[in-house]
């Protein structure tokens, strides 16, 4: 892996910031850096889920080969399609929350991309993370099943004591679409933080600190800038 002050690491950071000028300056310096490998750098971008940002930052950068640009472009376009599909599912979820007056918070994902980049497809789309209050968890779980998803817990014959243990020691359940393998995974949270309590946002007391993200007329509740930063730091750690 690259050291934090290496040209490669700094170039990756400039891609994350969409800083085209900084990226151009760093790639110019890399021309005199004999140890640079496009293959290793691409692996690094993929590992940190920033290929889409790198594509938008480096697409006019002549330092990189056509093959490198093409691989980033293909991944970026595939991610845009996944983001659109994810948006469609989140709109359905939010409509259900609004209709049934369910308190929910969306975590990370395409809303984060919309909030900070004004483009739902600029960040790598992996899954849909959403927290709902525990009283409505089973009701939301049933709705997710109606969307064609099946839960990980559904695949096993857990008894009530085992399910209760899982709820005490974990904080979410993953749902996979039964037929559409390109549909994003849904992670339904009954707790925002993990069992160690590393994130101190209290859903019962801190609701007024949330903010809204608008996507084509649908409003989604998300963390404000400070809580978002803390949550992402804890999640990354």
């Amino acid at each position: 892996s690259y050291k934090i002050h290496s040209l490669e690491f700094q170039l990756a950071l400039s891609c994350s910031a969409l800083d085209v000028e900084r990226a151009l300056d760093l790639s110019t310096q890399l021309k005199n850096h004999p140890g640079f490998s496009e293959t290793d750098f691409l692996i690094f971008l993929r590992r940190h889920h920033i290929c889409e940002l790198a594509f938008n930052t480096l697409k006019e950068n002549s330092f990189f080969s056509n093959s490198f640009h093409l691989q980033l472009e293909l991944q970026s376009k595939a991610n845009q399609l996944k983001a659109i599909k994810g948006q469609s599912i989140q709109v359905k979820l939010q409509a259900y929350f609004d209709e049934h007056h369910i308190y929910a918070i969306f975590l990370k994902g395409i809303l984060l991309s919309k909030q900070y980049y004004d483009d739902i497809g600029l960040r790598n789309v992996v899954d849909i993370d959403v927290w709902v209050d525990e009283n409505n968890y089973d009701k939301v779980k049933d709705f997710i099943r109606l969307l064609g998803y099946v839960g990980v817990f559904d695949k096993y014959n857990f008894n009530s004591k085992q399910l209760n243990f899982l709820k005490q020691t974990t904080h979410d359940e993953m749902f996979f679409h039964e037929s559409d393998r390109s549909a994003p995974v849904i992670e339904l949270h009954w707790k925002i933080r993990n069992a160690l309590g590393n994130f101190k946002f209290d859903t019962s007391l801190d609701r007024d600190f949330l903010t809204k993200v608008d996507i084509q007329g649908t409003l989604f509740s998300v963390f404000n800038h400070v809580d978002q930063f803390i949550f992402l730091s804890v999640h990354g750690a």
Side-chain angles (χ1 to χ4, degrees):
S1 61
Y2 305 123
K3 293 181 179 179
I4 195 167
H5 295 298
S6 68
L7 292 174
E8 293 91 343
F9 196 97
Q10 294 303 311
L11 178 58
L13 286 178
S14 69
C15 289
S16 295
L18 296 176
D19 190 339
V20 176
E21 291 186 10
R22 173 71 172 152
L24 180 61
D25 176 59
L26 288 165
S27 60
T28 300
Q29 295 180 53
L30 280 170
K31 289 180 181 179
N32 301 315
H33 187 58
F36 177 73
S37 165
E38 275 193 351
T39 301
D40 289 346
F41 187 59
L42 187 60
I43 291 171
F44 185 76
L45 296 176
R46 285 174 174 160
R47 178 187 173 196
H48 291 281
H49 302 286
I50 56 174
C51 285
E52 296 76 20
L53 293 164
F55 169 68
N56 282 272
T57 306
L58 303 174
K59 58 186 174 182
E60 303 297 333
N61 193 314
S62 60
F63 171 70
F64 296 92
S65 69
N66 290 335
S67 174
F68 179 87
H69 284 296
L70 180 60
Q71 290 182 75
L72 287 185
E73 182 178 9
L74 289 173
Q75 183 153 335
S76 182
K77 288 182 176 179
N79 191 70
Q80 288 175 348
L81 292 175
K82 200 169 183 180
I84 292 169
K85 190 167 289 188
Q87 177 182 319
S88 174
I89 294 169
Q90 288 193 204
V91 167
K92 290 175 183 177
L93 285 171
Q94 188 60 52
Y96 182 81
F97 298 154
D98 292 341
E99 180 182 355
H100 294 86
H101 307 289
I102 293 174
Y103 175 26
I105 305 171
F106 283 92
L107 314 170
K108 306 182 276 101
I110 63 172
L111 297 175
L112 186 71
S113 188
K114 173 65 176 177
Q115 194 174 12
Y116 295 109
Y117 295 110
D118 198 31
D119 185 331
I120 62 170
L122 266 186
R123 290 182 74 253
N124 184 254
V125 179
V126 179
D127 49 31
I128 296 171
D129 286 85
V130 59
W131 169 89
V132 296
D133 66 90
E134 199 164 355
N135 292 332
N136 287 304
Y137 180 82
D138 289 333
K139 187 189 297 184
V140 174
K141 184 172 179 174
D142 289 339
F143 177 70
I144 289 175
R145 288 177 177 140
L146 291 176
L147 294 177
Y149 281 82
V150 60
V152 171
F153 293 170
D154 296 332
K155 294 184 177 182
Y156 305 96
N157 190 27
F158 289 130
N159 61 39
S160 59
K161 287 186 177 180
Q162 290 169 328
L163 287 172
N164 185 57
F165 175 79
L166 288 169
K167 283 199 171 183
Q168 293 298 318
T169 57
T170 58
H171 59 281
D172 65 4
E173 181 179 357
M174 297 178 69
F175 294 82
F176 299 87
H177 202 282
E178 286 191 284
S179 58
D180 186 357
R181 296 306 176 192
S182 66
V185 172
I186 297 176
E187 291 189 9
L188 185 63
H189 294 244
W190 57 85
K191 288 187 289 190
I192 286 180
R193 56 186 181 265
N194 64 17
L196 297 177
N198 292 327
F199 182 60
K200 302 299 183 183
F201 186 94
D202 190 320
T203 54
S204 60
L205 299 176
D206 299 335
R207 186 170 180 171
D208 291 341
F209 292 104
L210 296 170
T211 188
K212 298 284 186 180
V213 172
D214 184 340
I215 295 184
Q216 296 182 344
T218 300
L219 295 175
F220 303 87
S221 292
V222 300
F223 293 136
N224 63 43
H225 299 310
V226 174
D227 288 323
Q228 188 83 266
F229 178 77
I230 297 170
F231 177 71
L232 290 172
S233 299
V234 171
H235 181 75

